[in-house]
Amino acid sequence: QVQLQESGPGLVKPSETLSLTCTVSGGSISNHYWSWIRQPPGKGLEWIGQIYYSGNTNYNPSLKSRVTILVDTSKNQFSLKLSSVTAADTAVYYCARQTCSNCWFDPWGQGTLVTVSS
Amino acid sequence: SYELTQPPSVSVSPGQTASITCSGAKLGDYYVCWYQQKPSQSPVLVIYQDSKRPSGIPERFSGSNSGNTATLTISGTQALDEADYFCQAWDTSSAVFGGGTKLTVL
C-alpha cells in the first residue's frame, strides 16, 4: 500500500520561497504521475502541478510563473518550490499520486500546513 | 478557465438518498471524479471516471455524468458519510475542482 508524506517548514516569510518534499513509501515513484494540491483554511482544493517520474512537468497556469516541481527517483521523492509567497499562499499542501496524466488523485498524503507570515 | 459549480450544502436524513451535483459546460464530455473529505483529514477518492468505485468504497456510493451535470449519489446515507465532497475534472491538462459541498446527515 503506497503512502505519501509531506515535509517542510510550516512557516515561511512573505516574498520568500516555500519548499516542500513528498516522500513515497510502499511503492516506486516510477511509472506514475505525482501532483501537488493545496487547500487554504476553510476553502476548496486547488491543483498546483504535476510531474512524471521522468521529470516532465505540467503546472496550473495561474501559478506557473512561481512553481517548480522536481523529482528525485533515487530517494523516491518529489518536491515543490513556490516563490514570492504571500499570505494568500497559506494553505494545507497535499501530495498525491496519479496513474496517468489526467487521472484521478489516489492516494493523498496527510497534508502539511504552511503559513506565510512575517 | 473551466469552472465546476457545486451547491455549498446538502442535507439528508439517515437512510435516505443524497444527491450532490457538479455543473460545468459540456461536463459530460469529461471524466469526473469525486472526493470525500472529513474534518482534519485528507481527501479520499470515492468515484473515478464518472461512475467507478475504488476498492474499499461502499456500494452505496455511485456516480453519473451527462450533459452539463455530474451527480454523486449516496444511497442509504449513514452518519459517517457526513463530510465535504469535491468533484474534479481535467481541462486542457489542468485539474479543476468544484468548490465543494458539505453533506449534513440529520
Side-chain angles (χ1 to χ4, degrees), chain B residues 54-68:
Chain B
S55 173
I57 300 302
E59 290 185 7
R60 63 179 181 274
F61 287 86
S62 63
S64 63
N65 183 20
S66 179
N68 296 320

Side-chain angles (χ1 to χ4, degrees), chain B residues 28-40:
Chain B
D29 291 345
Y30 303 81
Y31 275 135
V32 173
C33 320
W34 291 90
Y35 303 90
Q36 175 194 68
Q37 185 179 35
K38 296 182 178 180
S40 300

